[in-house]
Amino acid sequence: MISEKIRQIKPSATLEINRKAKELKAAGVDVINLSVGEPDFDTPDPVKESAVQAIRDGFTKYTEANGTPELKKAISEKLEKENGLVYSPEQVVVSNGAKHSLYNVFLAIIEPGDEVIIPAPYWVSYPEMVRLAGGVPVFCRWDENFKMDLGHLKSLINKKTKAMVLNSPSNPTGVVYDKKQICAVAEILLKNNILCISDEVYEKIIYEGMEHTSIASHSPEMKKLTVVVNAVSKTFAMTGWRIGYIAAEKEIAAAVGKVQGQTTSAPCSISQKAAYSAIKGGEKLYSGMIEEFRKRRNYLVENLPAELHYPVPMGAFYLFFNYRDMDSVALCERLLEEKFLAAVPGADFGADKFTRISYATSMKNLEITVQRLKEFTSENK
Ligand SMILES: Cc1ncc(COP(=O)(O)O)c(C=O)c1O
């Protein structure tokens, strides 16, 4: 009964770890959940208030399919002010989270058999979304800094290559591409006329004076080849509100709008009011959260056992480590069973000797985590 397309989709190794973690928790075991992919902070009060007001005002009907003019204008102003990118509101499409935006984009651009280059380690959903849209994911190796190996990238490009995904700051590694690296990638894409799907959802969660650079700001030519994807989800601790967006050339934005109009009608009206208030509120709404993430990251980097090897995260809220080249599924199972730590195997991210932990959890939990990891590494020398 089930289509081949859906049968092809890989079940996630993360789900099995989560299932076991829940089972242990229900049995009263003190499991520390390090698998979380969302800020552990609450949505800021002014944002909540705008949503309550929207409900009271009866702003509860379908909106324009691509998002309200008010929100699209706020996004276009944000892109100009914060990213130096000029997009008119008609080049913006608001969707139900960045994940939805990304899927709309893949549906809008992929012909059957088109190849999409995905640099590993990658966020789990990219390959599956590309496959669902009829495309073929092609994986680019990482270099010693966990950025894409540009030599490998060049060798992967062929007539079928349609697009490449860029995710900086990255989930799962936390690495951030600087201007020079963005420039090197842009030059390869420009030379070969390849679209860049630039997933910038972690742009504000960034440390030590690193600056987020959107590849669209490289040059007017590169801007034409880029689809900027962003969301209020991570920046404003609004994962449950489901608002993401794209900005792109008019032709692409119109195609994405067409997909959305026929499949979803519009993003949630109330959440759009909340997202408007978040984007207008800006930095003061999230700076405290970023400061807290920075403290936690510093604590981990200063205290994790030396046997764990990882790129020091410069953004997002994940740390991606290798421990004695152990297979990550086996390692995560042992961490859960022996130390009650729930982490995510890197196998899901295209790096099976690595494990992802999220520091979107309290400092107290991180202290216990460090303690238990120290015990584990000293018992397994
Ligand atoms: C790299 C990346 N892109 C996109 C998303 C999806 O964001 P949203 O919750 O807005 O759909 C996530 C969520 O984990 C992510 O890590």
mmCIF file of all heavy atoms in Angstrom, residues 227-247:
data_model
loop_
_atom_site.group_PDB
_atom_site.id
_atom_site.type_symbol
_atom_site.label_atom_id
_atom_site.label_comp_id
_atom_site.label_asym_id
_atom_site.label_seq_id
_atom_site.Cartn_x
_atom_site.Cartn_y
_atom_site.Cartn_z
ATOM 1 N N VAL A 227 18.847 30.943 -2.294
ATOM 2 C CA VAL A 227 17.569 30.987 -1.584
ATOM 3 C C VAL A 227 17.932 31.069 -0.104
ATOM 4 O O VAL A 227 18.520 30.125 0.450
ATOM 5 C CB VAL A 227 16.716 29.723 -1.844
ATOM 6 C CG1 VAL A 227 15.399 29.804 -1.080
ATOM 7 C CG2 VAL A 227 16.474 29.526 -3.337
ATOM 8 N N VAL A 228 17.641 32.204 0.518
ATOM 9 C CA VAL A 228 17.926 32.357 1.945
ATOM 10 C C VAL A 228 16.764 31.728 2.716
ATOM 11 O O VAL A 228 15.596 32.017 2.440
ATOM 12 C CB VAL A 228 18.052 33.852 2.332
ATOM 13 C CG1 VAL A 228 18.196 34.012 3.840
ATOM 14 C CG2 VAL A 228 19.234 34.488 1.616
ATOM 15 N N VAL A 229 17.105 30.844 3.657
ATOM 16 C CA VAL A 229 16.074 30.203 4.494
ATOM 17 C C VAL A 229 16.356 30.592 5.937
ATOM 18 O O VAL A 229 17.495 30.496 6.410
ATOM 19 C CB VAL A 229 16.129 28.659 4.359
ATOM 20 C CG1 VAL A 229 15.055 28.005 5.228
ATOM 21 C CG2 VAL A 229 15.979 28.233 2.904
ATOM 22 N N ASN A 230 15.322 31.052 6.628
ATOM 23 C CA ASN A 230 15.505 31.418 8.024
ATOM 24 C C ASN A 230 14.176 31.189 8.756
ATOM 25 O O ASN A 230 13.182 30.779 8.145
ATOM 26 C CB ASN A 230 15.982 32.874 8.143
ATOM 27 C CG ASN A 230 16.833 33.100 9.373
ATOM 28 O OD1 ASN A 230 16.635 32.443 10.394
ATOM 29 N ND2 ASN A 230 17.764 34.042 9.309
ATOM 30 N N ALA A 231 14.172 31.446 10.055
ATOM 31 C CA ALA A 231 12.972 31.189 10.866
ATOM 32 C C ALA A 231 13.078 31.978 12.162
ATOM 33 O O ALA A 231 14.163 32.436 12.527
ATOM 34 C CB ALA A 231 12.892 29.700 11.200
ATOM 35 N N VAL A 232 11.958 32.094 12.849
ATOM 36 C CA VAL A 232 12.020 32.673 14.200
ATOM 37 C C VAL A 232 12.246 31.568 15.238
ATOM 38 O O VAL A 232 12.468 31.845 16.415
ATOM 39 C CB VAL A 232 10.730 33.474 14.554
ATOM 40 C CG1 VAL A 232 10.617 34.734 13.707
ATOM 41 C CG2 VAL A 232 9.472 32.611 14.422
ATOM 42 N N SER A 233 12.207 30.316 14.783
ATOM 43 C CA SER A 233 12.206 29.160 15.694
ATOM 44 C C SER A 233 13.328 29.171 16.725
ATOM 45 O O SER A 233 13.069 29.088 17.933
ATOM 46 C CB SER A 233 12.305 27.867 14.885
ATOM 47 O OG SER A 233 11.351 27.846 13.865
ATOM 48 N N LYS A 234 14.581 29.230 16.252
ATOM 49 C CA LYS A 234 15.707 29.081 17.188
ATOM 50 C C LYS A 234 16.043 30.428 17.828
ATOM 51 O O LYS A 234 16.280 30.507 19.030
ATOM 52 C CB LYS A 234 16.936 28.542 16.452
ATOM 53 C CG LYS A 234 16.664 27.381 15.511
ATOM 54 C CD LYS A 234 16.491 26.049 16.190
ATOM 55 C CE LYS A 234 16.135 24.986 15.156
ATOM 56 N NZ LYS A 234 16.042 23.645 15.654
ATOM 57 N N THR A 235 16.067 31.498 17.029
ATOM 58 C CA THR A 235 16.484 32.813 17.530
ATOM 59 C C THR A 235 15.612 33.294 18.680
ATOM 60 O O THR A 235 16.112 33.856 19.652
ATOM 61 C CB THR A 235 16.411 33.855 16.392
ATOM 62 O OG1 THR A 235 17.180 33.375 15.297
ATOM 63 C CG2 THR A 235 16.927 35.208 16.828
ATOM 64 N N PHE A 236 14.303 33.092 18.555
ATOM 65 C CA PHE A 236 13.391 33.657 19.557
ATOM 66 C C PHE A 236 12.742 32.557 20.422
ATOM 67 O O PHE A 236 11.709 32.806 21.041
ATOM 68 C CB PHE A 236 12.304 34.481 18.858
ATOM 69 C CG PHE A 236 12.848 35.668 18.103
ATOM 70 C CD1 PHE A 236 13.047 35.600 16.728
ATOM 71 C CD2 PHE A 236 13.199 36.845 18.764
ATOM 72 C CE1 PHE A 236 13.561 36.686 16.023
ATOM 73 C CE2 PHE A 236 13.711 37.939 18.063
ATOM 74 C CZ PHE A 236 13.894 37.861 16.690
ATOM 75 N N ALA A 237 13.352 31.372 20.437
ATOM 76 C CA ALA A 237 12.784 30.252 21.205
ATOM 77 C C ALA A 237 11.306 30.069 20.853
ATOM 78 O O ALA A 237 10.430 30.106 21.715
ATOM 79 C CB ALA A 237 12.982 30.480 22.715
ATOM 80 N N MET A 238 11.050 29.894 19.563
ATOM 81 C CA MET A 238 9.664 29.809 19.083
ATOM 82 C C MET A 238 9.447 28.562 18.214
ATOM 83 O O MET A 238 8.704 28.614 17.233
ATOM 84 C CB MET A 238 9.320 31.065 18.264
ATOM 85 C CG MET A 238 9.211 32.318 19.098
ATOM 86 S SD MET A 238 8.886 33.767 18.068
ATOM 87 C CE MET A 238 7.213 33.475 17.519
ATOM 88 N N THR A 239 10.091 27.462 18.586
ATOM 89 C CA THR A 239 10.009 26.273 17.720
ATOM 90 C C THR A 239 8.576 25.788 17.515
ATOM 91 O O THR A 239 8.224 25.325 16.442
ATOM 92 C CB THR A 239 10.873 25.130 18.299
ATOM 93 O OG1 THR A 239 10.615 25.048 19.702
ATOM 94 C CG2 THR A 239 12.351 25.380 18.092
ATOM 95 N N GLY A 240 7.762 25.908 18.560
ATOM 96 C CA GLY A 240 6.391 25.395 18.454
ATOM 97 C C GLY A 240 5.447 26.295 17.665
ATOM 98 O O GLY A 240 4.344 25.876 17.309
ATOM 99 N N TRP A 241 5.883 27.519 17.389
ATOM 100 C CA TRP A 241 4.978 28.449 16.698
ATOM 101 C C TRP A 241 4.942 28.195 15.199
ATOM 102 O O TRP A 241 4.028 28.615 14.516
ATOM 103 C CB TRP A 241 5.419 29.904 16.953
ATOM 104 C CG TRP A 241 5.371 30.302 18.384
ATOM 105 C CD1 TRP A 241 6.277 29.986 19.346
ATOM 106 C CD2 TRP A 241 4.365 31.094 19.019
ATOM 107 N NE1 TRP A 241 5.907 30.541 20.549
ATOM 108 C CE2 TRP A 241 4.732 31.230 20.363
ATOM 109 C CE3 TRP A 241 3.192 31.713 18.565
ATOM 110 C CZ2 TRP A 241 3.975 31.945 21.273
ATOM 111 C CZ3 TRP A 241 2.440 32.429 19.472
ATOM 112 C CH2 TRP A 241 2.821 32.534 20.809
ATOM 113 N N ARG A 242 5.988 27.566 14.684
ATOM 114 C CA ARG A 242 6.100 27.143 13.294
ATOM 115 C C ARG A 242 6.063 28.296 12.300
ATOM 116 O O ARG A 242 5.142 28.384 11.473
ATOM 117 C CB ARG A 242 5.013 26.088 12.936
ATOM 118 C CG ARG A 242 4.850 24.928 13.891
ATOM 119 C CD ARG A 242 6.145 24.196 14.186
ATOM 120 N NE ARG A 242 6.822 23.697 13.004
ATOM 121 C CZ ARG A 242 8.141 23.884 12.791
ATOM 122 N NH1 ARG A 242 8.910 24.532 13.650
ATOM 123 N NH2 ARG A 242 8.686 23.403 11.707
ATOM 124 N N ILE A 243 7.043 29.182 12.386
ATOM 125 C CA ILE A 243 7.163 30.212 11.358
ATOM 126 C C ILE A 243 8.607 30.253 10.835
ATOM 127 O O ILE A 243 9.553 30.495 11.581
ATOM 128 C CB ILE A 243 6.755 31.615 11.876
ATOM 129 C CG1 ILE A 243 5.267 31.665 12.247
ATOM 130 C CG2 ILE A 243 7.084 32.701 10.833
ATOM 131 C CD1 ILE A 243 4.279 31.593 11.093
ATOM 132 N N GLY A 244 8.721 29.986 9.528
ATOM 133 C CA GLY A 244 10.004 30.116 8.827
ATOM 134 C C GLY A 244 9.747 30.889 7.551
ATOM 135 O O GLY A 244 8.600 31.205 7.224
ATOM 136 N N TYR A 245 10.813 31.198 6.827
ATOM 137 C CA TYR A 245 10.610 31.951 5.591
ATOM 138 C C TYR A 245 11.772 31.766 4.629
ATOM 139 O O TYR A 245 12.856 31.327 5.020
ATOM 140 C CB TYR A 245 10.404 33.448 5.881
ATOM 141 C CG TYR A 245 11.497 34.121 6.683
ATOM 142 C CD1 TYR A 245 12.611 34.676 6.064
ATOM 143 C CD2 TYR A 245 11.415 34.189 8.073
ATOM 144 C CE1 TYR A 245 13.606 35.297 6.811
ATOM 145 C CE2 TYR A 245 12.418 34.800 8.827
ATOM 146 C CZ TYR A 245 13.512 35.356 8.181
ATOM 147 O OH TYR A 245 14.494 35.964 8.919
ATOM 148 N N ILE A 246 11.502 32.106 3.371
ATOM 149 C CA ILE A 246 12.583 32.168 2.387
ATOM 150 C C ILE A 246 12.583 33.551 1.766
ATOM 151 O O ILE A 246 11.562 34.260 1.781
ATOM 152 C CB ILE A 246 12.420 31.144 1.238
ATOM 153 C CG1 ILE A 246 11.152 31.427 0.416
ATOM 154 C CG2 ILE A 246 12.427 29.720 1.739
ATOM 155 C CD1 ILE A 246 11.403 31.452 -1.062
ATOM 156 N N ALA A 247 13.733 33.914 1.208
ATOM 157 C CA ALA A 247 13.814 35.100 0.357
ATOM 158 C C ALA A 247 14.638 34.678 -0.854
ATOM 159 O O ALA A 247 15.665 34.000 -0.705
ATOM 160 C CB ALA A 247 14.490 36.253 1.091
#
